[in-house]
Amino acid sequence: MNLNQTTNWISGVLFTAVFAALGLLLIQLPIFQHIGALATSILLAILYRQLFGYPNQLRTGIQFSTKKLLRVAIILFGLKLNLDVVFNEGLGLLIRGACTIIFALIVTMLLAKWFKGNKTISMLLAVGTGVCGAAAIAAVSPIIKSEEEDTALSVGIIALVGTIFGISYTLIGPLLPISAEAYGIWSGLSLHEIAHVALAAAPAGEDALAMALLAKLGRVLLLIPLCFILVYWMQRKNKDQNAETNVSFPWFLLGFIIMSFLGSYVFGHSITLPENSLTIVSQITTFLLAMAMSGLGLNVDLKSIGTKTLRPLLAMFITSVLLSIVTYFML
């Protein structure tokens, strides 16, 4: 890589960092706070692409953020998963979380097949709905060989629909004949992103928020076995179709598992860390994810999409409504 290429690479990485920084700044405003930093960053990048086109000179740096930094962020995201809490207090919620994922996958894919929607986007939306929104989509997209544009569109859709549902829960919650804790569990079992869960559960009090996050943690944990199942499925699919393309093993998921273990049992226990260090790492993780989402957003050309996302969106929206109803009766 010569000097000019290196300069363009650095500029491309910094270019995605600008969108990430803007996304984090804008979420200080009420309207963007409900959308979240990742969705805001990707929406800004999509808007830039439509107005000014794709900056081809910066492509290598943008792709680095989209692919490499994305995997680093997912590994660091493992620190947010407290395995001890999930195993000791949330086994029942873990089982219900598994039911949530299975339901979301089956119903979304069946509806998408019925509507004749795009299979890749439908799968990404199914995983995002069942597990943990944008983070799950980001983890699964390289496994199922998703195009960057499809991944970006899926992240934007999951953020939009999740925000609508999160706000709706805050309005419906006080009218339901259930306890604050039960409302929290319902939110954690059915909503898309961790941010959406927090948005819906926080107004119901600390107990509701704690149960909501615990239920959501179980679903995040199940992302690990789900990814390995998808790897196996893709390998079988390629073999049956005599495809030459091999499915690469998602090594970054091992990093996710290791970080989850370290964050749960090592850091703060046998190894003492400086105060607020994990909070800083969490902020770095969010920033790196926002950079990756920005890179994805720059790949979205709305003019060429047409109705590509309409049918998967409809399938996912119907699934989300049904999931809210089903999980309510699982309480």
Side-chain angles (χ1 to χ4, degrees):
M1 186 181 293
N2 58 39
L3 181 60
N4 188 48
Q5 290 174 327
T6 301
T7 301
N8 288 336
W9 178 83
I10 294 173
S11 299
V13 173
L14 293 176
F15 194 62
T16 60
V18 169
F19 287 107
L22 287 173
L24 289 169
L25 286 173
L26 285 174
I27 62 169
Q28 306 304 316
L29 302 176
I31 186 172
F32 291 102
Q33 188 176 31
H34 295 311
I35 299 175
L38 302 188
T40 301
S41 298
I42 203 170
L43 289 173
L44 289 172
I46 291 173
L47 179 62
Y48 179 92
R49 169 67 187 268
Q50 311 322 305
L51 295 176
F52 306 106
Y54 188 89
N56 283 300
Q57 283 187 324
L58 311 180
R59 182 178 297 275
T60 54
I62 293 171
Q63 288 181 338
F64 178 84
S65 294
T66 304
K67 297 177 180 179
K68 302 299 183 182
L69 292 186
L70 176 61
R71 285 160 174 76
V72 172
I74 291 173
I75 291 172
L76 293 176
F77 189 78
L79 287 172
K80 297 185 178 184
L81 181 62
N82 192 324
L83 297 175
D84 193 49
V85 173
V86 173
F87 291 141
N88 291 337
E89 302 180 34
L91 288 180
L93 294 177
L94 193 65
I95 294 172
R96 282 183 275 183
C99 294
T100 292
I101 295 172
I102 293 170
F103 181 89
L105 287 171
I106 292 175
V107 175
T108 304
M109 295 311 294
L110 284 176
L111 288 173
K113 184 176 181 180
W114 187 31
F115 297 149
K116 297 181 180 179
N118 181 281
K119 291 181 180 179
T120 301
I121 294 178
S122 298
M123 173 59 79
L124 292 174
L125 291 178
V127 172
T129 301
V131 188
C132 55
I137 290 173
V140 167
S141 59
I143 297 174
I144 66 173
K145 304 295 183 182
S146 168
E147 296 290 336
E148 292 180 357
E149 183 177 75
D150 291 346
T151 303
L153 288 170
S154 300
V155 169
I157 290 171
I158 209 80
L160 173 62
V161 175
T163 300
I164 293 172
F165 271 73
I167 295 173
S168 299
Y169 272 42
T170 62
L171 300 175
I172 296 172
L175 305 177
L176 298 175
I178 55 176
S179 66
E181 291 81 1
Y183 169 74
I185 292 173
W186 180 50
S187 302
L189 286 176
S190 57
L191 288 175
H192 308 74
E193 299 260 11
I194 293 177
H196 300 145
V197 171
L199 166 66
E206 292 183 1
D207 291 340
L209 181 58
M211 295 307 297
L213 294 176
L214 181 59
K216 188 63 175 176
L217 281 176
R219 292 165 65 192
V220 175
L221 176 63
L222 292 169
L223 174 63
I224 300 169
L226 175 62
C227 285
F228 288 129
I229 291 171
L230 289 175
V231 169
Y232 175 76
W233 173 67
M234 287 296 292
Q235 288 175 336
R236 287 292 301 269
K237 179 182 177 182
N238 288 340
K239 184 177 180 181
D240 292 341
Q241 296 177 352
N242 295 319
E244 296 181 0
T245 304
N246 293 320
V247 179
S248 57
F249 184 81
W251 294 104
F252 60 91
L253 285 180
L254 292 183
F256 179 91
I257 296 171
I258 292 170
M259 284 298 179
S260 298
F261 177 83
L262 292 175
S264 302
Y265 304 114
V266 178
F267 298 145
H269 299 277
S270 56
I271 297 179
T272 302
L273 297 177
E275 188 177 357
N276 297 327
S277 58
L278 291 180
T279 300
I280 294 172
V281 173
S282 177
Q283 292 171 345
I284 292 172
T285 302
T286 300
F287 190 79
L288 292 177
L289 274 174
M291 288 178 65
M293 294 301 108
S294 301
L296 290 172
L298 289 168
N299 286 286
V300 177
D301 184 3
L302 295 179
K303 296 177 183 177
S304 65
I305 292 170
T307 59
K308 185 178 183 180
T309 61
L310 183 59
R311 293 173 182 178
L313 168 59
L314 181 59
M316 175 255 187
F317 188 86
I318 294 174
T319 299
S320 298
V321 172
L322 294 175
L323 185 61
S324 294
I325 296 171
V326 170
T327 51
Y328 180 81
F329 288 102
M330 288 170 58
L331 297 175

